[in-house]
């Protein structure tokens, strides 16, 4: 586990360097990687030796249609449904020919969950935007034979219109925009 944590720290640093790098920032015109725009999600794919880390950040509005804390049974049901679909990685991204095993899934939709009564008493309703963040960690026997993945989330969540993707390997990095019709993320 320690080795994995070290890799994740290193990858976080690489991603930070890429996001702040002027050359790649220019490819996104004046658009910040972290801007919250409904319909636009951010995807990061990082490879180091046998680990593949995939992280998706999407506006909650584009997934469930609201960004406040769930209040009605219908809203809570929507959150449960979406959480269930994201436990299946193929509903977001599909790797061809890869001998990879999903070893960790983390779905963060905390800001959409109802507060407990105790906290609720002190809670003022906020109108800020809210995002859902999904992280997958895969362990792969070999990552040398794959260099692309199909992003499938557009099929299941048509309100996601565009994804700003960045990828990082041991030796290279890049950024690309993906849509329903241009949904293949290639690296190398
Ligand atoms: Zn929003």
């Amino acid at each position: 586990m320690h080795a994995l944590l070290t890799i994740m720290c290193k990858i976080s640093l690489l991603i930070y360097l890429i996001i702040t790098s002027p050359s790649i920032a220019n490819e996104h015109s004046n658009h910040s990687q972290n801007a919250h725009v409904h319909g636009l999600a951010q995807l990061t794919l990082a490879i180091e030796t046998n680990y593949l880390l995939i992280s998706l950040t999407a506006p909650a509005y584009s997934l469930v249609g609201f960004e406040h804390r769930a209040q009605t049974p219908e809203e809570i049901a929507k959150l449960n449904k979406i959480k269930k679909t994201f436990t299946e990685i193929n509903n977001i991204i599909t790797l061809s020919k890869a001998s990879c095993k999903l070893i960790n899934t983390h779905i963060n939709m905390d800001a959409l969950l109802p507060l407990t009564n105790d906290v609720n008493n002190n809670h003022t309703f906020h109108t800020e935007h809210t995002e859902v963040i999904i992280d997958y960690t895969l362990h792969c026997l070999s990552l040398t034979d794959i260099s692309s993945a199909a992003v499938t989330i557009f099929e299941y969540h048509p309100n996601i219109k565009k994804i700003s993707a960045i990828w990082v390997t041991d030796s290279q990095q890049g950024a690309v925009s993906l849509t329903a019709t241009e949904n293949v993320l290639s690296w190398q």
Side-chain angles (χ1 to χ4, degrees):
M1 201 58 202
H2 180 256
L4 178 59
L5 285 175
T6 308
I7 288 166
M8 289 171 89
C9 288
K10 197 173 164 189
I11 288 168
S12 299
L13 178 64
L14 276 172
I15 290 166
Y16 173 78
L17 291 173
I18 287 175
I19 289 169
T20 54
S21 142
S23 61
I24 289 180
N26 285 342
E27 287 177 27
H28 289 261
S29 63
N30 297 321
H31 207 95
S32 158
Q33 272 284 340
N34 295 316
H36 180 107
V37 177
H38 294 172
L40 174 66
Q42 273 93 36
L43 180 78
T44 303
L45 184 142
I47 290 175
E48 188 163 319
T49 55
N50 291 89
Y51 289 98
L52 179 57
L53 282 82
I54 295 168
S55 179
L56 182 93
T57 301
Y61 188 83
S62 305
L63 298 176
V64 292
F66 59 90
E67 299 198 337
H68 54 260
R69 291 190 181 277
Q71 286 154 337
T72 65
E74 289 77 16
E75 288 174 344
I76 291 167
K78 271 189 180 175
L79 294 186
N80 289 334
K81 188 181 169 192
I82 208 124
K83 195 160 188 174
K84 200 175 169 193
T85 65
F86 289 146
T87 57
E88 175 55 63
I89 188 172
N90 288 331
N91 290 335
I92 291 190
I93 191 166
T94 307
L95 299 158
S96 60
K97 299 189 295 179
S99 49
C100 298
K101 190 178 168 212
L102 186 62
I103 57 169
N104 189 48
T105 301
H106 187 250
I107 302 165
N108 182 346
M109 46 175 61
D110 294 354
L112 294 167
L113 300 176
L115 293 171
T116 62
N117 286 338
D118 290 356
V119 185
N120 220 0
N121 289 338
N122 299 322
H123 180 67
T124 50
F125 191 77
H126 77 104
T127 54
E128 287 168 25
H129 290 290
T130 305
E131 286 169 329
V132 174
I133 303 166
I134 305 140
D135 292 296
Y136 299 110
T137 307
L138 299 100
H139 183 263
C140 307
L141 291 178
S142 170
L143 276 165
T144 53
D145 57 342
I146 57 161
S147 59
S148 70
V151 176
T152 53
I153 193 172
F154 299 110
E155 288 173 41
Y156 304 102
H157 297 283
N159 288 330
I160 306 250
K161 304 290 184 197
K162 192 175 156 190
I163 294 180
S164 292
I166 55 174
W167 56 267
V168 189
T169 68
D170 287 337
S171 55
Q172 294 175 80
Q173 60 194 44
V176 67
S177 271
L178 303 171
T179 61
T181 50
E182 301 263 341
N183 71 326
V184 178
L185 175 61
S186 299
W187 56 93
Q188 290 176 10

